[in-house]
Amino acid sequence: MTAVATASLAVTGCGVVSSAGLGLDALGDRLLDGKPGHTVPTADIVAEFPPRPLRVVSDEEVLAELGKRGLRYVDRLTTLGMVASGMALAGLEEGDPADTGVVLGTATGSIRSITEVARDTLVQDKPYLIHPGRFPNTVLNSAAGQIAIRNKLRGVNATVASGKLSTLSAVRYADTAIRLGRVTRLVVGGVEELSPPMAWAWHLAGDLGEQTAVGEGCAMFVLEDAATTNNRVLAEIPACEVGFHGRALADGLAACATRALAKAGVDAADVATVSLSAPSTDSALSHAERRGVEAALGRTPATVNVVDVVGECYSASGALQLAGLLALWRRWTPGDGAVGLVTSVGRDGNVGCLVVRDRRA
């Protein structure tokens, strides 16, 4: 039985930073032509990174957006979040800073900062000479705090860590906060930085296919109550469901997607496009994800694989998947009311599904 649709979250702003470039249009271009994002030549980084494809955000583009002032001790993870958040908020009706907050999805925060500070405690002479300016970057919620400070936001500030499901879990958190009246507007998304420790972890674990790139990026979205916002609405999110299903990923995703569709009041036949989390070269996860989607929808839908273009971005996966869906909708012009899904499956047994409705008309 289909449930009655509940109130939706409105996506009123979007900022994207990826190896494809800055903004939705840059990501849409790469998705349409199938070309991978910016890759650093292996010879330039062979001493630090493993021998596998990498998708890297351009430093020049990031600095052009932020400038250099005040960034001396800010890590890469935070700078990516700052750029995407600033882009998402640009051009929106100015709201009450005390009623606008940040919810950021990141599994670990900056792995590079954590490992560098940890290494200093082992190799430096006593008293170890750890630089105090770098220590705040090791704290999980540092990036969310810095984003709020830069944009002068004083509302709810939270960091949600849930592995590959971090972004979808952040959307669930944001939905609860807005519905309870804790805040009227939230900047929500996920971020991941490319670092040697993370790249080597993926490489040595053998969890990615040989041709699957490791990447980095961030996508942030301004979310508001769809019934009260005065800003132009890009899309609506009527439902987001997450859950733990152990090894039963396909069945778990099917159940999760079915719950989300029922909550949104959407018939499975109305879903036009699904933005997948697993790379097409990763047979185990990709097969489980596709089986779960097909079981929930009763058919094989049109799909989008953002990870094939920008690489495995882990914590930022869900955010970049949503951005990829919105980017393609700008090109395809599917029409007001078109419905898409953002699905996610993690090797830890977590699954999630986000229902998205185009509202650009």
Side-chain angles (χ1 to χ4, degrees):
M1 182 174 66
T2 301
V4 177
T6 56
S8 298
L9 291 175
V11 180
T12 57
C14 175
V16 186
V17 182
S18 73
S19 57
L22 302 185
L24 285 174
D25 288 337
L27 180 58
D29 287 343
R30 290 300 177 96
L31 288 172
L32 288 175
D33 64 25
K35 295 180 180 179
H38 177 61
T39 303
V40 174
T42 304
D44 292 351
I45 54 176
V46 67
E48 288 189 284
F49 287 87
R52 70 161 44 249
L54 304 172
R55 302 288 181 262
V56 187
V57 173
S58 167
D59 290 334
E60 291 78 9
E61 290 182 330
V62 170
L63 290 177
E65 286 291 318
L66 292 180
K68 297 181 179 180
R69 184 167 180 167
L71 301 178
R72 184 175 182 183
Y73 299 122
V74 176
D75 62 13
R76 186 172 186 80
L77 185 102
T78 302
T79 59
L80 296 179
M82 285 180 172
V83 173
S85 299
M87 294 171 63
L89 288 165
L92 295 183
E93 181 180 274
E94 188 172 347
D96 181 1
D99 211 20
T100 304
V102 178
V103 183
L104 184 66
T106 172
T108 57
S110 174
I111 285 290
R112 181 188 285 269
S113 297
I114 293 170
T115 54
E116 286 179 350
V117 170
R119 182 179 183 277
D120 284 347
T121 66
L122 297 174
V123 302
Q124 297 280 13
D125 293 333
K126 291 183 178 181
Y128 307 120
L129 302 176
I130 298 172
H131 200 297
R134 287 166 45 192
F135 184 78
N137 296 324
T138 67
V139 181
L140 183 66
N141 63 350
S142 174
Q146 291 290 342
I147 290 171
I149 291 170
R150 185 175 183 87
N151 294 288
K152 300 178 181 178
L153 309 179
R154 304 197 304 274
V156 170
N157 191 278
T159 300
V160 181
S162 186
K164 191 151 186 170
L165 274 290
S166 292
T167 296
L168 269 62
S169 296
V171 172
R172 285 268 295 185
Y173 184 104
D175 181 57
T176 300
I178 291 175
R179 290 180 192 277
L180 292 177
R182 307 297 189 210
V183 67
T184 60
R185 177 188 293 180
L186 284 168
V187 185
V188 184
V191 61
E192 190 67 73
E193 67 176 357
L194 180 64
S195 65
M198 180 65 82
W200 277 107
W202 280 114
H203 184 70
L204 296 176
D207 285 340
L208 297 180
E210 292 183 3
Q211 298 307 311
T212 302
V214 178
E216 63 178 350
C218 179
M220 300 295 288
F221 308 89
V222 178
L223 301 184
E224 306 177 58
D225 188 330
T228 60
T229 181
N230 293 319
N231 287 301
R232 181 174 66 93
V233 178
L234 303 176
E236 287 184 7
I237 300 176
C240 179
E241 292 291 318
V242 296
F244 176 77
H245 291 270
R247 296 182 180 180
L249 292 177
D251 291 341
L253 179 59
C256 189
T258 300
R259 289 198 310 272
L261 289 170
K263 183 178 179 181
V266 173
D267 191 282
D270 294 331
V271 176
T273 312
V274 179
S275 185
L276 301 170
S277 67
S280 58
T281 55
D282 187 337
S283 59
L285 276 187
S286 62
H287 288 172
E289 187 171 24
R290 289 177 182 274
R291 288 200 308 272
V293 168
E294 290 170 3
L297 301 183
R299 58 190 168 85
T300 301
T303 59
V304 179
N305 277 89
V306 178
V307 65
D308 288 346
V309 170
V310 300
E312 173 59 70
C313 295
Y314 200 44
S315 303
S317 295
L320 292 170
Q321 287 172 249
L322 175 55
L325 187 62
L326 298 183
L328 289 179
W329 276 354
R330 288 161 71 103
R331 304 305 179 87
W332 291 343
T333 316
D336 185 52
V339 178
L341 299 183
V342 173
T343 58
S344 185
V345 292
R347 289 170 175 79
D348 55 3
N350 284 304
V351 299
C353 179
L354 188 73
V355 182
V356 190
R357 184 180 286 112
D358 187 13
R359 284 299 190 211
R360 292 169 299 144

